[in-house]
């Protein structure tokens, strides 16, 4: 007997032992962040004139953008290619992308020295700058993600607006506004969905252009003119694994039955995507003959091989196996490897591969930098948890609906 | 200027598709927004003349309102023993190297922003806060800068510095070629203060000619290389030396302008916005046909 699945708020308590740990990590991160705002970036980071970018850019921004790729890949699959069977994962992926990009935006604003000038790129354009392109695309895409999420908000509150006290008079107008928004969005949404996919391909690849200008400061293993293409391909291949990863994690955390029939089928699509990425990565390695750097055991060669072997080759083989597609544990492992591999690739490109001239030492993130990054990730998970408790995001079996009414609802 | 920026942004948004269909960044050329006047000025630094007195360090700090001990204190040569870099407290520094020809006379090299003809920092800056002016200087605009430090990532000479310990209004600090002094008709402070004329200020074209003549006149004194004449597409500051530039810690750089490949990719992806718009149209078509097919299937079932 197949229960009909419908997105609805999860009915669980917000607090749990895990949530308390996350709250502590978040508070710790915010404390160090206060230090950054009171005493400057130098007070909490190990950054200096030789190493201007650290993990706040490498992880919070670069890896953050890559791991939010689940948003545009599932939108392309579910809405553009119109594969209805995947609709159950579109909302969780959208929520992750929306929160992920919000974290990226916050991450950028705390890393730049003059955070109060964050709006400058909107007015002051420099078309030759890859960073300008990334910045503009991320700003627009983030707005698009919020618009895409609006129907979830209207769905939650239409007919349920109930403000307390004197504000109660506003209930009816707000309800009318929500209904109007809902109708408008229903007609317009395709514009935003396509725009979201286009904007994503643009900035996911431009993120790969960022370090090209560093020229000889970059290790040749990562300094390639096809870096934007590699970034785009890896973002596309990490999209579904990220959705699998978070869906299984959320199912575990809320004690729900994982939707293995959808996730397994998504997993099957990951292998060819990873294969294309691997082909370009290896092609680049052999055409530019950078494999010579892998002959000796150094930090860079170990990082490169880890990234490729554990992040691409092993999960590629795993996703091809039917046993993996059926087992939540194995599917989770394979997805986590891809997620880790792409995150490692971004850290490698932005932090490990960068060796400036005249460096007096090498860069390793400070306790403050790590605390802030960990704190942000904790806040992200907390916001996700809060959002799925409030809004209809996760699809749950809905016994109130008979199979027949399934079609009337959709129409 | 504005429309040029807009167009190049359009170009940028298109580049991804081009990148995906194969790209040839070997034809790297400089950014189109560069104003390169044939009369742009420069400085020729003759390291065989420099005596390491560090008067230029003092003059620079004084001219830029940076904290400095009195000039007498610079007679102390101990700071020379350690390699230093220009930073937020000193826009120029002098470093000392062993002289293989005459061990008693160490080589001293003044370091500051090279004022590239095709600056990577200008190309990289997210808000266009750094500009190359017709008079040769590469200057930074405090009203635009957001403090992202991408210029520091981009600079092949690792020159721009950042005020990491300022919570509000941290600045990017680098040699500004004494922009204000020169506008008043004065010499750059370091050039004016140099007691042995190791620094020659003039039109870059003339300086390269002078440098070539010096090498020709005393081939034993110099290595046959003017550092900055061709490196990263040419720099406004050029150097002469009596020994290999590698041993004086000059970075070994190619002859293509530093922003070249990056700009080619950017402008390729966004060629007149064609790639993003085509991608949008393509996705729209896919969306329409797949929804159409889906509706048909539903009707049949």
């Amino acid at each position: 007997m197949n229960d009909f699945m419908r997105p609805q708020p999860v009915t669980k308590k917000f607090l749990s032992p895990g949530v308390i740990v996350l709250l502590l990590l978040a508070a710790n991160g915010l404390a160090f962040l206060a230090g950054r705002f009171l005493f400057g970036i130098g007070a909490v980071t190990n950054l200096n004139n030789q190493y201007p970018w650290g993990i706040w850019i490498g992880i919070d921004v670069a890896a953050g953008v890559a791991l939010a790729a689940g948003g545009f890949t599932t939108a392309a699959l579910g809405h553009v290619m119109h594969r209805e069977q995947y609709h159950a994962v579109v909302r969780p992926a959208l929520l992750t992308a929306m929160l992920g990009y919000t974290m990226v935006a916050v991450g950028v604003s705390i890393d730049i020295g003059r955070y109060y000038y964050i709006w400058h790129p909107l007015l002051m354009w420099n078309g030759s700058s890859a960073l300008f392109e990334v910045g503009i695309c991320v700003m627009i895409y983030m707005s698009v993600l919020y618009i895409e999420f609006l129907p979830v908000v209207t769905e939650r509150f239409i007919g349920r607006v109930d403000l307390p006290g004197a504000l109660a008079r506003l209930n009816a107008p707000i309800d009318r506004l929500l209904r109007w928004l809902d109708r408008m969005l229903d007609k317009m949404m395709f514009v935003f969905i396509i725009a979201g996919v286009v904007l994503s391909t643009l900035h996911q690849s431009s993120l790969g252009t960022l370090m090209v200008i560093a020229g000889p400061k970059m290790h040749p293993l990562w300094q390639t003119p096809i870096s934007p293409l590699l970034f785009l391909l890896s973002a596309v291949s990490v999209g579904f694994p990220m959705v699998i990863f978070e869906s299984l994690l959320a199912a575990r955390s809320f004690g729900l039955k994982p939707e293995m029939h959808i996730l397994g089928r998504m997993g099957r699509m990951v292998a060819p995507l990873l294969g294309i990425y691997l082909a370009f990565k290896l092609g680049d390695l052999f055409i530019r003959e950078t494999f010579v750097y892998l002959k000796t055991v150094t930090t860079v060669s170990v990082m490169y091989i880890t990234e490729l072997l554990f992040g691409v080759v092993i999960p590629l083989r795993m996703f091809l196996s039917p046993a993996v597609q059926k087992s939540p544990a194995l599917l989770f492992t394979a997805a986590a490897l891809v997620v880790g591999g792409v995150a490692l690739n971004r850290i490698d490109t932005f932090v490990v591969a960068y060796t400036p001239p005249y460096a007096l030492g090498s860069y390793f993130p400070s306790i403050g930098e790590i605390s802030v990054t960990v704190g942000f990730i904790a806040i992200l998970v907390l916001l996700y948890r809060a959002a799925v408790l409030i809004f209809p995001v996760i699809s749950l079996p809905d016994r109130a609906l008979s199979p027949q009414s399934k079609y009337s609802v959709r129409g | 200027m504005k429309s040029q920026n807009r167009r190049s942004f359009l170009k940028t948004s298109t580049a991804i598709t081009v990148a995906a269909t194969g790209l040839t960044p070997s034809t790297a050329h400089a950014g189109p927004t560069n104003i390169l006047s044939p009369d742009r000025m420069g400085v020729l630094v003759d390291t065989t003349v420099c005596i390491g007195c560090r008067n230029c360090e003092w003059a620079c700090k004084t001219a830029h309102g940076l904290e400095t001990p009195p000039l007498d204190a610079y007679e102390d040569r101990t700071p020379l023993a350690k390699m230093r870099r220009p930073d937020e407290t000193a826009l120029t520094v002098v470093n000392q190297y062993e002289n293989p020809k005459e061990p008693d006379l160490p080589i001293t090299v003044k370091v500051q922003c090279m004022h590239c003809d095709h600056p990577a920092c200008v190309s990289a800056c997210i808000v266009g806060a750094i500009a190359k002016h017709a008079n040769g200087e590469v200057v930074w605009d405090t009203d635009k800068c957001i403090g992202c430090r991408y210029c520091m990532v981009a600079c092949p000479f690792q020159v721009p510095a950042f005020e990491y310990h300022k919570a509000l209004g941290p600045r990017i600090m680098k040699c500004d070629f004494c922009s204000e002094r020169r506008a008043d008709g004065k010499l750059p402070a370091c050039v004016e203060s140099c007691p042995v004329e190791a620094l020659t200020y003039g039109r870059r074209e003339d300086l390269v000619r002078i440098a070539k003549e010096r090498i020709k006149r005393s081939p034993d004194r110099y290595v046959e290389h003017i550092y900055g004449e061709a490196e990263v597409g040419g720099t406004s500051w050029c150097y002469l030396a009596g020994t290999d530039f590698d041993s004086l810690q000059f970075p070994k750089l190619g002859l293509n302008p530093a922003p070249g490949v990056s700009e080619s990719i950017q402008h390729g992806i966004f060629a007149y916005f064609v790639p993003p718009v085509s991608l949008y149209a393509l996705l729209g078509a896919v969306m329409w046909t797949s929804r159409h097919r889906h509706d048909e299937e539903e009707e049949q079932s």
Side-chain angles (χ1 to χ4, degrees):
Chain A
M1 168 69 206
N2 237 343
D3 290 323
F4 176 60
M5 306 288 278
R6 194 172 63 90
Q8 46 196 297
V10 177
T11 45
K12 280 263 155 48
K13 277 210 189 89
F14 182 73
L15 276 183
S16 76
V19 167
I20 290 168
V21 173
L22 289 174
L23 282 170
L24 289 175
L25 289 174
N28 176 50
L30 291 176
F32 278 100
L33 195 56
R36 175 255 173 273
F37 282 108
L38 291 176
F39 308 109
I41 296 172
V44 276
T45 68
N46 277 348
L47 299 176
N48 55 44
N49 289 331
Q50 274 68 47
Y51 288 94
W53 283 3
I55 59 163
W56 286 357
I57 294 293
I59 297 179
D60 302 13
V61 177
V65 167
L67 298 186
F72 89 96
T73 47
T74 49
L77 183 71
H79 293 307
V80 177
M81 297 186 203
H82 225 272
R83 299 287 160 84
E84 290 241 325
Q85 63 268 38
Y86 296 107
H87 272 190
V89 293
V90 170
R91 276 191 184 180
L94 172 63
L95 176 65
T96 317
M98 187 178 86
L99 295 176
Y101 272 90
T102 310
M103 187 191 92
V104 167
V106 176
V108 169
S109 0
I110 64 141
D111 185 79
I112 65 173
R114 302 166 164 205
Y115 46 91
Y116 38 86
Y117 282 164
I118 186 87
W119 51 274
H120 272 188
L122 287 174
L123 300 184
M124 303 164 194
W125 293 13
N126 179 11
S128 346
S129 169
L131 188 62
F132 170 74
E133 202 265 305
V134 172
I136 289 287
C137 272
V138 167
M139 279 195 216
I140 303 175
Y141 183 50
M142 198 169 76
S143 321
V144 167
L145 283 170
Y146 276 92
I147 294 172
E148 284 185 37
F149 194 74
L150 267 182
V152 182
V153 179
T154 57
E155 182 182 318
R156 168 72 177 77
F157 288 111
I158 283 178
R160 268 175 255 174
V161 183
D162 187 18
L163 295 171
L167 294 172
R169 273 192 303 163
L170 294 172
N171 284 348
I174 289 177
D175 191 67
R176 270 203 301 281
L177 178 75
L178 288 175
R179 280 169 204 275
W180 175 81
L181 255 181
D182 194 49
R183 274 198 311 278
M184 287 297 296
L185 287 170
D186 196 43
K187 286 185 200 130
M188 301 280 299
M189 197 45 88
F190 76 97
V191 177
F192 295 111
I193 286 168
I194 303 177
V197 177
V198 174
L199 287 165
S200 291
T201 56
L202 288 177
H203 71 257
Q204 290 285 3
S205 54
S206 284
L207 213 54
T209 320
L210 275 188
M211 296 309 276
V212 170
I213 203 164
K217 296 192 223 173
M218 291 284 287
H219 193 278
L221 279 171
W222 289 276
Q223 178 61 296
T224 159
I226 68 157
S227 177
L229 180 60
L230 294 176
F231 265 55
L232 179 62
L233 292 174
S234 55
V236 170
S237 35
V238 81
F240 298 150
M242 190 63 197
V243 173
I244 295 172
F245 178 79
E246 60 172 86
S247 296
L248 291 174
L249 217 55
R252 179 72 180 268
S253 164
F254 293 120
L256 308 167
K257 202 164 144 270
E259 300 173 71
M260 285 305 290
H261 58 290
I262 302 179
L263 300 181
R265 222 164 14 192
M266 282 187 109
R268 213 157 39 186
M269 289 185 285
V270 177
L273 295 174
L274 276 177
I276 297 171
Y277 174 50
L278 181 65
F280 275 92
K281 198 93 169 141
L282 292 178
D284 178 61
L285 191 68
F286 284 99
I287 288 170
R288 293 188 307 113
E289 296 180 7
T290 42
F291 54 82
V292 294
Y293 299 102
L294 300 179
K295 285 178 185 161
T296 47
V297 179
T298 56
T299 315
V300 280
S301 65
V302 169
M303 293 299 258
Y304 189 90
I305 290 173
T306 312
E307 175 193 322
L308 215 57
L309 188 64
F310 292 95
V312 185
V313 178
I314 293 176
L316 170 59
R317 174 66 192 87
M318 286 181 78
F319 277 120
L320 283 173
S321 141
V324 171
Q325 288 160 23
K326 286 193 195 90
S327 147
L330 288 174
L331 195 63
F332 181 81
T333 311
L337 282 174
V338 180
V339 169
V342 171
L344 186 62
N345 171 260
R346 301 310 193 251
I347 297 169
D348 283 346
T349 310
F350 283 84
V351 180
V352 179
Y354 184 82
T355 318
Y358 315 111
L360 301 169
S362 60
Y363 162 82
F364 194 84
S366 68
I367 306 275
E369 284 174 272
I370 297 170
S371 296
V372 169
T373 295
V374 170
F376 275 174
I377 296 169
I379 293 174
L380 200 62
V381 177
L382 291 172
L383 287 176
Y384 183 95
R385 187 177 174 94
V388 299
L389 296 182
I390 298 170
F391 296 109
V393 172
I394 293 183
S395 287
L396 300 169
D398 195 343
R399 291 191 176 79
L401 291 165
S402 67
Q404 278 81 6
S405 64
K406 180 178 175 182
Y407 297 101
S408 60
V409 165
R410 189 190 291 153
Chain B
M1 192 72 187
K2 196 100 204 173
S3 66
Q4 180 112 27
N5 283 345
R6 182 175 307 232
R7 202 182 62 189
S8 36
F9 171 61
L10 298 189
K11 283 178 177 176
T12 324
S13 2
T14 341
I16 275 109
T17 333
V18 172
T21 51
L23 98 174
T24 49
S26 52
T27 54
H29 56 87
T33 49
N34 255 331
I35 321 155
L36 275 184
S37 156
D39 291 328
R40 65 188 181 280
M41 305 301 273
V43 170
L44 178 64
V45 185
D46 193 332
T47 59
T48 66
V49 175
C50 178
I51 53 169
C53 69
R54 301 200 290 132
N55 280 12
C56 52
E57 289 186 19
W58 173 84
C60 175
K61 285 187 175 182
T62 310
H64 291 91
L66 295 167
E67 208 177 302
T68 171
L71 185 55
D72 304 344
Y74 285 81
E75 279 168 25
D76 174 19
R77 288 181 74 94
T78 45
L80 286 168
K82 210 174 127 210
M83 194 269 281
R84 295 175 301 152
R85 293 293 301 162
D87 60 18
E88 62 277 17
T89 63
L91 309 183
T92 185
V93 291
V94 179
N95 284 322
Q96 180 172 287
Y97 300 92
E98 261 175 55
N99 189 343
K101 290 181 194 162
E102 287 174 78
D104 298 338
L105 285 174
I107 303 168
T108 42
V109 180
K110 176 185 184 299
V111 187
Q112 75 297 307
C113 171
M114 299 290 283
H115 298 276
C116 301
D117 283 345
H118 307 282
C121 55
V122 172
S123 168
C125 181
I126 181 169
V127 286
I130 308 181
K132 171 86 177 173
H133 288 168
N135 64 5
E137 67 200 17
V138 175
V139 289
W140 169 84
D141 180 355
T142 184
D143 293 331
K144 287 185 177 173
C145 179
I146 65 169
C148 72
R149 309 188 295 286
Y150 192 31
C151 51
M152 300 165 69
V153 172
C155 176
F157 300 99
Q158 205 65 40
V159 161
F162 180 73
E163 294 183 308
Y164 282 102
H165 288 278
K166 261 197 188 170
L168 284 175
R171 291 172 294 171
I172 292 291
M173 301 292 278
K174 71 168 204 71
C175 162
D176 63 352
F177 208 166
C178 279
S179 183
E180 280 175 30
R181 286 176 56 94
R182 294 201 299 141
D184 293 343
K186 290 189 218 156
L187 281 172
C190 53
V191 176
E192 195 181 67
S193 72
C194 182
V196 290
E197 292 183 30
L199 308 173
T200 314
Y201 174 71
R203 284 174 71 236
R204 185 181 181 274
E205 262 178 32
D206 299 338
L207 294 176
V208 171
R209 195 168 37 78
I210 292 169
K212 281 181 179 158
E213 276 166 16
R214 283 194 202 170
I215 294 174
K216 207 168 150 192
R217 232 184 303 128
S218 355
D220 298 337
R221 187 184 177 101
Y222 299 106
V223 289
E224 206 181 334
H225 181 184
I226 306 167
Y227 191 96
E229 185 194 3
E231 274 80 8
V232 287
T235 56
S236 281
W237 283 58
C238 295
Y239 284 77
L240 283 173
T243 177
D244 191 23
F245 279 100
D246 284 354
S247 63
L248 304 178
Q249 286 189 305
F250 281 80
K252 230 181 158 52
L253 298 169
L255 305 185
N256 285 330
V261 180
S262 166
E263 283 191 2
S264 305
I265 297 173
Q266 277 293 294
H267 295 166
I269 298 182
F270 284 84
Y272 301 99
F273 252 133
V274 171
V277 172
S278 341
L279 179 60
Y280 196 101
L282 178 73
L283 289 173
V286 170
M287 196 173 186
W288 192 79
T289 49
S290 62
R291 172 173 289 185
H292 202 65
R293 198 178 49 223
H294 180 85
D295 289 347
E296 273 175 9
E297 277 167 13
E298 200 148 271
E299 271 165 34
Q300 280 163 10
S301 61

